[in-house]
Amino acid sequence: KAGVTQTPRYLIKTRGQQVTLSCSPISGHRSVSWYQQTPGQGLQFLFEYFSETQRNKGNFPGRFSGRQFSNSRSEMNVSTLELGDSALYLCASSLPSGGAEETQYFGPGTRLLVL
Amino acid sequence: DAKTTQPPSMDCAEGRAANLPCNHSTISGNEYVYWYRQIHSQGPQYIIHGLKNNETNEMASLIITEDRKSSTLILPHATLRDTAVYYCIVKRAGGTSYGKLTFGQGTILTVHP
């Protein structure tokens, strides 16, 4: 079974621009979570989507948004990019849990550089 | 979700067992212990998880103390490819924890030839 895929793998943008990152979960997985990883803050949770609905959200400004499609694929968008948004953006998928444990499987990430 | 404490770094000789400790003294009864690792600049890789009982899979073993306040991840025969940052995470299923893993600083494991 194919793993989580993320596109693009690398991206360079300039301040003020916006960016859209894409994530395709493992087949059959319906929950998609997004994380930001920076050297200073480590791995931080952005948000989680399940059945096209955002169920949970981390402590990030409104410039960070996401959505999920009916096929469980997800996109995240960052508007008005700042230098501090340079990071590795990771997507993880999991099966619906119904309250049981939710093991997440991560993609390779998209490395974003903001100049 | 409960907070975890891990040593910042550990060394291990190739071929020997690597035992990575994790303290989670405030863990609740419905919280799971997860272990992930991250090799430089790659996405975190799931290793193993457990609730109460010890668990083993093809990658590692997880030993959880009876009071559940600490656990140990065991890599039975470490190789150079096991050099990575290892994260111990405690997570409650569902509710406000939907889809959220809280990563700490982890333990940098270096396997030496």
Side-chain angles (χ1 to χ4, degrees):
Chain A
K1 194 183 268 193
V4 178
T5 58
Q6 293 188 244
T7 56
R9 293 293 311 279
Y10 303 93
L11 205 49
I12 299 176
K13 292 286 188 179
T14 56
R15 278 187 307 171
Q17 288 187 311
Q18 74 164 14
V19 67
T20 299
L21 312 181
S22 180
C23 171
S24 292
I26 292 171
S27 178
H29 285 195
R30 293 168 59 194
S31 169
V32 174
S33 297
W34 289 90
Y35 295 83
Q36 180 197 66
Q37 185 173 27
T38 60
Q41 299 297 319
L43 266 155
Q44 293 186 289
F45 172 76
L46 280 157
F47 31 64
E48 186 258 5
Y49 286 86
F50 175 75
S51 289
E52 303 178 63
T53 301
Q54 185 182 89
R55 291 194 301 184
N56 202 358
K57 186 176 187 302
N59 188 26
F60 279 82
R63 297 185 299 107
F64 293 81
S65 63
R67 60 177 175 168
Q68 186 181 35
F69 302 95
S70 58
N71 61 358
S72 296
R73 191 176 70 83
S74 178
E75 290 180 345
M76 69 162 281
N77 184 277
V78 188
S79 62
T80 319
L81 284 166
E82 301 177 358
L83 296 179
D85 297 332
S86 294
L88 180 66
Y89 289 88
L90 293 155
C91 160
S93 74
S94 64
L95 283 168
S97 65
E101 71 269 30
E102 305 168 344
T103 300
Q104 294 185 24
Y105 297 88
F106 285 79
T110 294
R111 186 163 296 280
L112 172 66
L113 177 62
V114 181
L115 301 175
Chain B
D1 295 329
K3 182 179 165 60
T4 62
T5 304
Q6 300 178 250
S9 63
M10 293 184 65
D11 290 330
C12 178
E14 191 175 22
R16 305 298 292 267
N19 296 278
L20 292 91
C22 179
N23 182 284
H24 31 79
S25 58
T26 60
I27 193 169
S28 301
N30 62 349
E31 290 181 317
Y32 290 81
V33 179
Y34 283 84
W35 283 84
Y36 283 80
R37 71 181 182 184
Q38 187 175 28
I39 297 168
H40 184 63
S41 294
Q42 298 181 21
Q45 179 188 22
Y46 165 75
I47 301 173
I48 199 167
H49 75 280
L51 183 62
K52 298 181 192 177
N53 302 319
N54 298 338
E55 302 287 345
T56 295
N57 63 21
E58 65 279 3
M59 287 183 68
S61 294
L62 173 61
I63 308 298
I64 302 174
T65 58
E66 195 169 338
D67 62 8
R68 302 185 70 237
K69 292 181 186 295
S70 66
S71 61
T72 300
L73 177 74
I74 301 172
L75 306 178
H77 306 287
T79 71
L80 299 180
R81 286 177 293 184
D82 292 322
T83 293
V85 180
Y86 287 77
Y87 296 100
C88 169
I89 299 165
V90 171
K91 183 185 181 309
R92 180 171 58 88
T96 57
S97 294
Y98 280 128
K100 178 181 179 182
L101 293 173
T102 302
F103 287 82
Q105 297 305 306
T107 296
I108 300 172
L109 175 68
T110 304
V111 181
H112 297 284

